[in-house]
Amino acid sequence: MRMKRCVAVLVLALFAMGMVAGCEQKAPNQATPAPQAGEILVGLNCELSGGVASYGTNAANGAKLAIDEINAKGGVLGKQLKVLERDSQSKTDEAMNVSADLVSKGIVAQIGPLVSGAVAACTPVMNENKVPLIAPAATAPGATVDEKTGETFPYIFRACFLDSDQGVRMAEYAYDTLNMKTAAIYGSNSDDYAKGLAKYFKEAFEAKGGKIVAQEGYVSGDKDFKATLTKIKAAQPEFIYVPGYYQEVSILIKQARELGITVPMGGGDGWDSPDMITVAGAEALNNTYFTNHYSVQDPKPEIANFVKAYEQKYSKTPDSFAALGYDSAYLLAEAIKAADSADPVKVAEALAKTKDFPGITGTMTFNEKHNPVKSIVVIEFKDGKLVSH
Amino acid sequence: MPSSKRQWLWFLINIVILAGIFTLVQYMIATRMLNQYYQINLASMCINIILAVSLNLINGFTGQLSLGHAGFMAVGAYVAAVCTKSMDLSFIPAIIAGSLAAALAGLIIGVPTLRLRGDYLAIATLGFGEIIRVILQNIEEVGGPAGIVGIERLTTWPYLFLATVITIIVIQNLINSSYGRAIISVREDEVAAEMMGVNTTWYKVMAFMIGAGFAGLAGALFAHYFYIIKPDTFNFLKSFDILVMVVLGGLGSTTGAILAAIFITVLTAYLQAFPAIRMIIYAMILILVMIYRPQGLLGNKELTRKTFSRFWGGSA
Amino acid sequence: MVEFLQQMVNGLSLGAIYALIALGYTMVYGIILLINFAHGDIMMVGAYVGFFSITMLGSNVFVALLFAMLACAALGVLIEKIAYKPLRNSTRLAALITAIGASLFLEYVTIFFLTPQQRVFPAEAFPMHQYQIMGLYISNKDIFIVVLAVILMIMLQYIVKRTRAGKAMRAVSLDREAAMLMGISVDKTISFTFALGSALAAAAGVLIGLYYGTINPLMGIIPGLKAFVAAVLGGIGIIPGAMVGGFLMGILETMVSGYGSSMYRDAVAFGVLILILLIKPTGIFGRNDSEKV
């Protein structure tokens, strides 16, 4: 009986501890409703925890840096921008919940989520409530367009290029520049992003006369790729295309090199994370390439300034998601200025008319599908450093 | 059916109360007093009630621990979504198709596995639930691991309300029938029930099938409310979610399951920003309830008029 | 042929990990008939203890293994005392639900304090060497993982068969009441079993960290379930069965990925489980005896 009582006390103590800790963190989040006269509310709905936390955290950091800069210069329309930040935990249904919550708080626009699938989940909420959403990095072609009717969603915008462009760019690079004639594809099967990349890479590579000798898939969360890699090795491809996110790709590349697969490998912007080098190791990453939104080493002054400011604030190097988050926030600020109003509907109209917006990740002009037309960089891992081509 | 005058009166009062709840919420939605955020949570609440009440039929009343309830929900969600999205069926036939498909899955899985006892059954149902998920992941026609995107939002408050009420009434009436007594006898002592001439396998499979069918109904509503379904949503952690509600409410108490489903939905919404704390609370609920009240908070009692009248000390 | 042998190598290293985890499942089930759902999560805690002792204390791999095993042995005993012991005389379902609770508790307390982010296991802790033998690629990690697993299993077998504590374990597993009447402390013996099983799980956790390079708070769920399947496959409650089941499971999964589709790997694992349960629930090494009424 004494045992039982001890247990109860212990458990209660833990419980109370949890609640107190929870309330402490909760306070700043909850105490911000009702936009005040001098403020414009901007919603951040990013993946701050869970599978792709690295993207969401960095994009949110980039956006917050931009908003701090804007506010320091006197804000927009004489008002300060105020950030309402929520975590979608890298879950699609949670992303939608967060959107509904943010919209009900009266935001002018939402930045995020990062992953295309989560943007698709938020889309109906945004369209129904007529609040614009800027997706920093949703590269799936369907993100801004209703695939059934072919109509552009009026309230969905993105600050990045498309998977179709990305897959084609890597196919060109592999076939023309690296001179590879056969390739294998081993990508994530868990999301539209990686499946899209695989599809467009395959089409473009085959159209050029290349041959796909093997195509395999994995599921997010997998850790053992050796069996499938052994199978791919037996097919003897000259190049392996690995579209997917860094968490799995880093382990996959390491295991490929352990199995004596030395051929070059390529991927998309999902590779852009410092974890790639810490997990796979600099040596294993040699001879691998990925398409990306911008390069940190670009000498242009606006990029150099951004990198410096970001490093100063967060003491780490900004990846492309940070840059895209930063661009998204500036895009929004420009649109509010152009609309001369913080009314979400007017801001959406102004966003659609964005022209020659000078972003860190390239100059953006929205086409009729709310896609910016911009360039793609190919980045090589060389002894643990990123070298752009 | 009610027999005496007094029972008729109560029957009418119940109807009036239900109609009142329905109209009030409908009015609040129409006048936008309930914003979208509350509406989403209201939908989750109804869906959770259906899931908890139906799992309670299997786990609580029949005493067969099933850890695969999310799998049946997935079957219902996918079948219904395919019906409206690819086959252009209207919503009601799609819901029915989803529920029937889930019931069929329950039958197919129930017949071989329900011969197993106790924890072996639990593990086998968990395995089947996961197999359903993996199979869905591998069907490219339904989007593979990325799932089905862009399902029309057809689930509205009237559907949610009606489905929840129907689920509760059907399961409650089943339990109060002679079938119900047979089902409960299986839980109390399977061998004795068999001796008394109860065909235990048949009753176990039937309860399992009905439970699965209602999980399918919940899945169909879920798919048409949240626009997107993917296999990962229905993994075994989702089954554990439902199990927590049933255990908390009381294994074998329908009102308990309903209250627990409401409580868990509110808790989830309140702790949205802190999923870890929510799950820690879940874990503690499971451990503490099992140590101190293995039969759940309400046990196998129901919360009825009598409970309230006893509470208030008056006579109803 | 080379490809097939390479797949065998891949399967053996994966199987060694499954086998280590499966042993703990089997021992606990053998003694108190409980499916200890939290076992995979004890492995996760072991991986984190190993991680922190390498990164923060700068210890080498063997010291990290030792720390992890000691810490988890204590954790296993603690969980048994708090969550399972009060339920020893209630239904098995109640105990199973409690085990699920303990599992969720370990996972999310870890998330709460250490964030859900993955951590990168320091590669320097165990420098890699690659060997190429007749076209086969084998790394020192593969060898280390299999050899260590086998050594630990032999040690376990020795403890169970040759020591007094092991004898007590077998006695309690055979008939708890009778063992108690013979003067064996049932509580101590059960604690000892949890300590042994959890220590092995911790070793598996550190090995997973070394082998795959990353760890996260939910890493124990899937290997835990797979290892459970392995334990059932070999015959739950039987120690050599868990070893064989673990290796079989690893090889089977590798072959499914290698010659079929990796997308069906998990379904095959659970399919095997269900087939075993339906055809021969006592597993490969199990005796057939019917349930007592």
Side-chain angles (χ1 to χ4, degrees):
Chain A
M1 207 54 227
R2 231 176 64 207
M3 186 73 214
K4 270 196 177 177
R5 204 174 303 155
C6 282
V7 175
V9 170
L10 187 75
V11 168
L12 270 176
L14 271 168
F15 192 80
M17 204 166 69
M19 292 309 281
V20 169
C23 294
E24 269 170 11
Q25 289 173 25
K26 197 155 187 87
N29 256 348
Q30 285 303 73
T32 41
Q36 285 164 20
E39 282 173 348
I40 299 174
L41 287 179
V42 177
L44 280 187
N45 176 0
C46 295
E47 293 86 343
L48 303 178
S49 64
V52 290
S54 157
Y55 308 152
T57 314
N58 292 337
N61 282 346
K64 282 187 280 187
L65 174 66
I67 288 172
D68 284 352
E69 288 178 11
I70 294 164
N71 283 341
K73 285 181 209 147
V76 189
L77 309 178
K79 292 177 180 174
Q80 295 278 299
L81 295 178
K82 190 168 171 65
V83 174
L84 267 188
E85 192 176 14
R86 294 279 193 280
D87 178 12
S88 70
Q89 303 159 31
S90 306
K91 289 183 195 154
T92 44
D93 47 346
E94 205 59 41
M96 175 182 143
N97 251 326
V98 167
S99 267
D101 186 22
L102 286 173
V103 164
S104 69
K105 296 272 185 331
I107 53 167
V108 60
Q110 173 182 310
I111 296 176
L114 279 286
V115 177
S116 301
V119 171
C122 296
T123 300
V125 179
M126 309 313 287
N127 282 335
E128 260 168 47
N129 292 283
K130 300 193 172 28
V131 176
L133 178 155
I134 304 178
T139 49
T144 57
V145 187
D146 187 338
E147 273 170 336
K148 234 183 193 169
T149 59
E151 276 172 41
T152 306
F153 291 128
Y155 293 95
I156 310 297
F157 301 85
R158 71 173 118 209
C160 56
F161 51 64
L162 305 181
D163 287 339
S164 42
D165 308 333
Q166 220 183 153
V168 172
R169 180 81 177 93
M170 187 45 82
E172 283 168 5
Y173 193 81
Y175 194 88
D176 300 333
T177 314
L178 299 173
N179 205 16
M180 301 293 162
K181 303 301 172 215
T182 59
I185 300 174
Y186 186 17
S188 164
N189 251 335
S190 292
D191 40 75
D192 291 334
Y193 159 72
K195 288 202 302 194
L197 283 191
K199 183 176 146 223
Y200 297 111
F201 175 85
K202 188 177 180 205
E203 281 172 14
F205 196 73
E206 283 175 342
K208 284 185 162 294
K211 197 166 169 248
I212 303 291
V213 292
Q215 183 161 7
E216 298 287 335
Y218 64 83
V219 191
S220 72
D222 276 5
K223 275 194 167 179
D224 200 300
F225 307 96
K226 284 194 161 180
T228 309
L229 284 168
T230 304
K231 189 175 166 189
I232 288 179
K233 194 186 173 196
Q236 296 181 323
E238 292 172 7
F239 179 82
I240 304 177
Y241 190 53
V242 192
Y245 295 124
Y246 65 94
Q247 282 197 315
E248 288 87 19
V249 172
S250 52
I251 303 177
L252 192 153
I253 293 180
K254 186 171 133 197
Q255 291 180 358
R257 298 303 190 220
E258 280 172 17
L259 287 169
I261 299 175
T262 51
V263 298
M265 300 200 248
D269 57 336
W271 285 28
D272 191 8
S273 163
D275 273 8
M276 279 294 276
I277 296 164
T278 41
V279 176
E283 207 188 317
L285 280 176
N286 277 339
N287 212 7
T288 61
Y289 308 82
F290 67 102
T291 45
N292 208 356
H293 305 269
Y294 96 119
S295 161
V296 196
Q297 284 154 342
D298 201 314
K300 275 192 215 144
E302 61 269 27
I303 296 186
N305 285 341
F306 160 69
V307 172
K308 215 175 109 196
Y310 189 93
E311 279 174 343
Q312 209 163 32
K313 185 161 181 195
Y314 302 108
S315 33
K316 54 182 177 183
T317 316
D319 60 7
S320 53
F321 298 98
L324 289 167
Y326 183 83
D327 276 357
S328 303
Y330 266 106
L331 259 175
L332 175 62
E334 287 301 316
I336 297 174
K337 263 186 226 163
D340 196 25
S341 156
D343 174 33
V345 177
K346 286 185 185 150
V347 171
E349 282 165 13
L351 266 173
K353 289 182 200 139
T354 302
K355 215 179 162 189
D356 298 329
F357 166 78
I360 297 296
T361 60
T363 307
M364 295 183 218
T365 300
F366 279 121
N367 65 13
E368 75 285 358
K369 288 186 171 152
H370 296 179
N371 297 326
V373 185
K374 44 198 257 195
S375 57
I376 302 175
V377 215
V378 174
I379 292 182
E380 181 187 358
F381 281 106
K382 209 165 199 175
D383 300 323
K385 294 257 177 337
L386 303 169
V387 181
S388 60
H389 288 275
Chain B
M1 269 291 112
S3 51
S4 72
K5 223 176 180 178
R6 199 186 151 111
Q7 277 178 320
W8 263 110
L9 186 70
W10 274 110
F11 181 69
L12 283 174
I13 289 178
N14 282 345
I15 297 260
V16 170
I17 292 174
L18 285 177
I21 296 176
F22 173 77
T23 330
L24 181 68
V25 174
Q26 182 70 10
Y27 171 78
M28 284 166 84
I29 290 172
T31 54
R32 293 210 148 236
M33 274 165 74
L34 280 180
N35 67 28
Q36 193 140 23
Y37 179 66
Y38 288 108
Q39 287 181 34
I40 289 178
N41 283 308
L42 190 67
S44 300
M45 203 179 276
C46 291
I47 291 168
N48 281 339
I49 291 175
I50 300 176
L51 288 169
V53 169
S54 60
L55 183 65
N56 198 16
L57 174 66
I58 303 173
N59 284 8
F61 289 108
T62 324
Q64 308 297 311
L65 186 59
S66 162
L67 295 178
H69 219 49
F72 301 123
M73 188 187 171
V75 171
Y78 269 83
V79 169
V82 168
C83 281
T84 55
K85 201 165 187 263
S86 314
M87 293 159 65
D88 284 323
L89 279 179
S90 59
F91 190 38
I92 293 179
I95 295 180
I96 295 172
S99 311
L100 288 180
L104 184 68
L107 179 70
I108 294 170
I109 292 172
V111 168
T113 50
L114 284 168
R115 290 190 294 141
L116 301 168
R117 301 250 166 111
D119 35 12
Y120 278 111
L121 173 70
I123 293 296
T125 48
L126 192 150
F128 266 118
E130 287 295 282
I131 288 177
I132 291 177
R133 185 177 64 83
V134 176
I135 290 174
L136 289 173
Q137 267 181 356
N138 282 289
I139 304 177
E140 273 309 310
E141 287 72 26
V142 293
I148 304 181
V149 184
I151 304 164
E152 225 178 315
R153 179 178 270 188
L154 298 170
T155 305
T156 51
W157 167 244
Y159 283 112
L160 285 166
F161 184 79
L162 209 64
T164 312
V165 170
I166 290 176
T167 307
I168 297 170
I169 292 177
V170 168
I171 290 185
Q172 207 43 39
N173 281 348
L174 178 79
I175 285 160
N176 291 331
S177 70
S178 62
Y179 288 99
R181 283 188 289 280
I183 284 173
I184 293 170
S185 77
V186 173
R187 174 186 73 190
E188 294 301 326
D189 191 332
E190 199 170 330
V191 177
E194 190 104 46
M195 296 291 193
M196 299 302 287
V198 176
N199 184 346
T200 52
T201 313
W202 152 247
Y203 283 104
K204 280 197 279 185
V205 171
M206 188 191 67
F208 199 71
M209 230 178 93
I210 295 173
F214 280 109
L217 169 69
L221 294 170
F222 177 89
H224 290 87
Y225 194 85
F226 289 94
Y227 307 106
I228 279 188
I229 44 172
K230 51 189 223 168
D232 272 356
T233 311
F234 306 104
N235 64 11
F236 64 91
L237 287 175
K238 180 77 197 172
S239 297
F240 287 0
D241 266 8
I242 311 169
L243 177 71
V244 172
M245 295 175 209
V246 173
V247 168
L248 176 65
L251 287 157
S253 163
T254 303
T255 35
I258 297 170
L259 289 178
I262 293 172
F263 172 73
I264 294 281
T265 316
V266 172
L267 184 76
T268 307
Y270 182 69
L271 293 176
Q272 188 188 31
F274 312 98
I277 294 183
R278 186 188 96 203
M279 294 307 286
I280 294 173
I281 294 176
Y282 271 24
M284 286 179 169
I285 288 175
L286 284 179
I287 299 175
L288 291 181
V289 169
M290 277 302 123
I291 293 180
Y292 294 105
R293 254 192 99 75
Q295 67 276 56
L297 288 189
L298 286 188
N300 52 10
K301 306 264 182 344
E302 297 290 350
L303 213 53
T304 55
R305 286 197 315 274
K306 285 205 187 99
T307 329
F308 284 112
S309 51
R310 205 168 47 221
F311 186 71
W312 282 312
S315 60
Chain C
M1 192 59 200
V2 173
E3 191 189 342
F4 179 77
L5 288 177
Q6 182 75 57
Q7 297 289 26
M8 284 301 281
V9 172
N10 299 341
L12 280 177
S13 1
L14 185 63
I17 292 172
Y18 287 157
L20 277 180
I21 311 173
L23 282 170
Y25 265 119
T26 265
M27 287 196 298
V28 167
Y29 191 89
I31 203 154
I32 53 170
L33 298 180
L34 165 75
I35 299 172
N36 184 9
F37 250 99
H39 195 64
D41 304 292
I42 292 178
M43 177 207 88
M44 175 273 295
V45 174
Y48 270 89
V49 173
F51 171 81
F52 284 116
S53 58
I54 290 173
T55 52
M56 290 170 75
L57 305 176
S59 57
N60 68 27
V61 172
F62 294 97
V63 178
L65 262 172
L66 196 67
F67 273 152
M69 289 172 77
L70 288 175
C72 285
L75 178 68
V77 172
L78 191 70
I79 290 176
E80 196 273 327
K81 288 263 184 269
I82 293 177
Y84 303 151
K85 195 169 166 232
L87 288 168
R88 212 172 276 164
N89 292 321
S90 48
T91 62
R92 275 160 69 179
L93 288 193
L96 184 66
I97 292 173
T98 313
I100 292 174
S103 159
L104 293 175
F105 186 79
L106 287 180
E107 286 159 18
Y108 288 91
V109 165
T110 312
I111 287 186
F112 185 74
F113 288 108
L114 300 174
T115 77
Q117 300 327 325
Q118 67 171 17
R119 309 241 169 180
V120 180
F121 224 80
E124 317 81 70
F126 197 78
M128 213 193 56
H129 296 288
Q130 193 84 282
Y131 307 105
Q132 204 182 344
I133 307 155
M134 296 185 304
L136 282 184
Y137 284 83
I138 301 176
S139 74
N140 54 346
K141 278 186 198 168
D142 292 308
I143 298 171
F144 179 68
I145 228 170
V146 175
V147 169
L148 189 72
V150 170
I151 291 176
L152 287 173
M153 289 176 212
I154 292 172
M155 278 166 64
L156 177 70
Q157 194 68 351
Y158 175 82
I159 292 173
V160 173
K161 293 278 177 199
R162 296 292 151 106
T163 61
R164 281 181 71 90
K167 210 178 225 173
M169 269 172 69
R170 284 183 289 148
V172 173
S173 151
L174 208 59
D175 189 331
R176 194 189 299 169
E177 304 269 302
M180 199 149 54
L181 294 177
M182 299 306 288
I184 294 170
S185 163
V186 172
D187 283 352
K188 268 190 196 152
T189 309
I190 291 177
S191 294
F192 181 67
T193 311
F194 268 89
L196 268 186
S198 306
L200 290 175
V206 177
L207 290 179
I208 287 184
L210 281 177
Y211 196 67
Y212 296 116
T214 60
I215 58 174
N216 67 62
L218 299 181
M219 67 185 274
I221 300 175
I222 296 297
L225 277 177
K226 300 269 179 70
F228 174 76
V229 177
V232 175
L233 180 63
I236 194 146
I238 304 160
I239 287 171
M243 296 183 207
V244 174
F247 280 111
L248 269 182
M249 196 63 202
I251 293 169
L252 183 72
E253 278 201 356
T254 312
M255 292 303 166
V256 170
S257 305
Y259 296 99
S261 164
S262 59
M263 299 293 294
Y264 276 103
R265 194 189 49 206
D266 291 357
V268 169
F270 288 110
V272 166
L273 170 74
I274 289 163
L275 276 184
I276 289 278
L277 286 182
L278 294 180
I279 298 166
K280 195 169 185 295
T282 46
I284 300 173
F285 288 79
R287 283 162 302 153
N288 279 321
D289 46 12
S290 56
E291 197 168 333
K292 279 172 277 186
V293 173

